[in-house]
Amino acid sequence: EVQLVESGGGLVQPGGSLRLSCAASGFTFSSFWMHWVRQGPGKGLVWVSRIKSDGSTTNYADSVKGRFTISRDNAKNTVFLQMNSLRGEDTAVYYCARAGVADSTAFDIWGQGTVVTVSS
Amino acid sequence: QTVVTQEPSFSVSPGGTVTLTCGLSSGSVSTSYYPSWYQQTPGQAPRTLIYSTNTRSSGVPDRFSGSILENKAALTIAGAQADDESDYYCVLYMGSGIWVFGGGTKLTVL
């Protein structure tokens, strides 16, 4: 079964750091670009970041550029999101998603999400 | 800053047809933006419905269709059912490795 499982969320103080993980299974992880998408409480989906299959290329939304870093370990079938200098507006459910097989500009598989709360 | 626009809410009667749209605050949506559509119910992860403007994802019923209508991406749901009541999001690929989601449409079936 193709699956993505996020972990690492929790409560963190403003200015703090957190590292999210997304473990993939059921497909050849090293062949796919991967994304992080977040959703604030009661709000819509927001694209956050993307990483190429081999980790050589990364992209970020302006709202997180310079504070978040996406990376991956293809040997462990895992993608990460290192989040530094966290702010209240970073509070959200964070989903990892796989770039589509037939269309790499779409997201075809989603994890269930991990909750990040930034609060003092 | 590019804003992707969607109707905040829409209502459809059971068995009816509804078309949700996805536009740009400045400019027209074309296939070059590779619009895709996602369905989300409360507390659940998004589900992929449509990609590349009009291709249904695996397992999506043919009641769901995508198109470009009057310079916007469109998602049409025919024969609406009670379990179609969800939030629907479009996303556009802006190029240079950047995606922008619309604000979502809350669809009510009643």
Side-chain angles (χ1 to χ4, degrees):
Chain A
E1 179 191 5
V2 175
Q3 195 172 11
L4 298 171
V5 179
E6 300 93 337
S7 61
L11 174 64
V12 61
Q13 292 188 339
S17 297
L18 211 55
R19 188 196 198 201
L20 306 183
S21 300
C22 170
S25 59
F27 64 97
T28 306
F29 178 74
S30 59
S31 297
F32 289 87
W33 295 69
M34 296 294 295
H35 298 261
W36 286 96
V37 175
R38 69 184 182 184
Q39 186 170 35
K43 298 192 175 181
L45 300 171
V46 176
W47 176 80
V48 173
S49 182
R50 172 187 79 160
I51 186 167
K52 190 176 179 180
S53 52
D54 64 1
S56 62
T57 299
T58 58
N59 303 97
Y60 299 92
D62 285 346
S63 59
V64 307
K65 199 174 295 183
R67 300 188 300 123
F68 289 12
T69 302
I70 190 171
S71 62
R72 64 192 295 160
D73 183 340
N74 284 347
K76 295 183 177 179
N77 291 343
T78 302
V79 60
F80 305 99
L81 187 67
Q82 177 67 44
M83 304 186 296
N84 299 331
S85 303
L86 283 161
R87 308 165 179 166
E89 55 263 38
D90 297 317
T91 294
V93 177
Y94 283 75
Y95 296 100
C96 67
R98 188 183 79 173
V101 173
D103 173 11
S104 63
T105 67
F107 318 108
D108 69 348
I109 303 295
W110 297 73
Q112 283 302 304
T114 188
V115 178
V116 172
T117 303
V118 183
S119 175
S120 55
Chain B
Q1 171 141 352
T2 301
V3 175
V4 176
T5 61
Q6 294 186 247
E7 299 87 359
S9 63
F10 229 117
S11 182
V12 63
S13 301
T17 296
V18 62
T19 296
L20 312 181
T21 68
C22 175
L24 282 169
S25 56
S26 176
S28 302
V29 176
S30 67
T31 57
S32 300
Y33 286 90
Y34 300 93
S36 53
W37 292 88
Y38 304 86
Q39 178 191 48
Q40 187 183 36
T41 53
Q44 298 297 312
R47 170 198 180 200
T48 306
L49 294 177
I50 300 286
Y51 60 89
S52 293
T53 305
N54 56 13
T55 304
R56 273 184 298 277
S57 187
S58 176
V60 174
D62 59 8
R63 303 186 296 104
F64 293 86
S65 62
S67 63
I68 299 290
L69 286 176
E70 297 180 0
N71 301 317
K72 294 182 179 181
L75 173 70
T76 299
I77 307 171
Q81 302 176 358
D83 61 3
D84 294 334
E85 188 161 292
S86 302
D87 295 324
Y88 291 86
Y89 294 93
C90 70
V91 66
L92 302 180
Y93 178 57
M94 310 308 290
S96 302
I98 302 296
W99 281 260
V100 179
F101 279 92
T105 297
K106 183 178 182 65
L107 180 67
T108 301
V109 180
L110 53 74

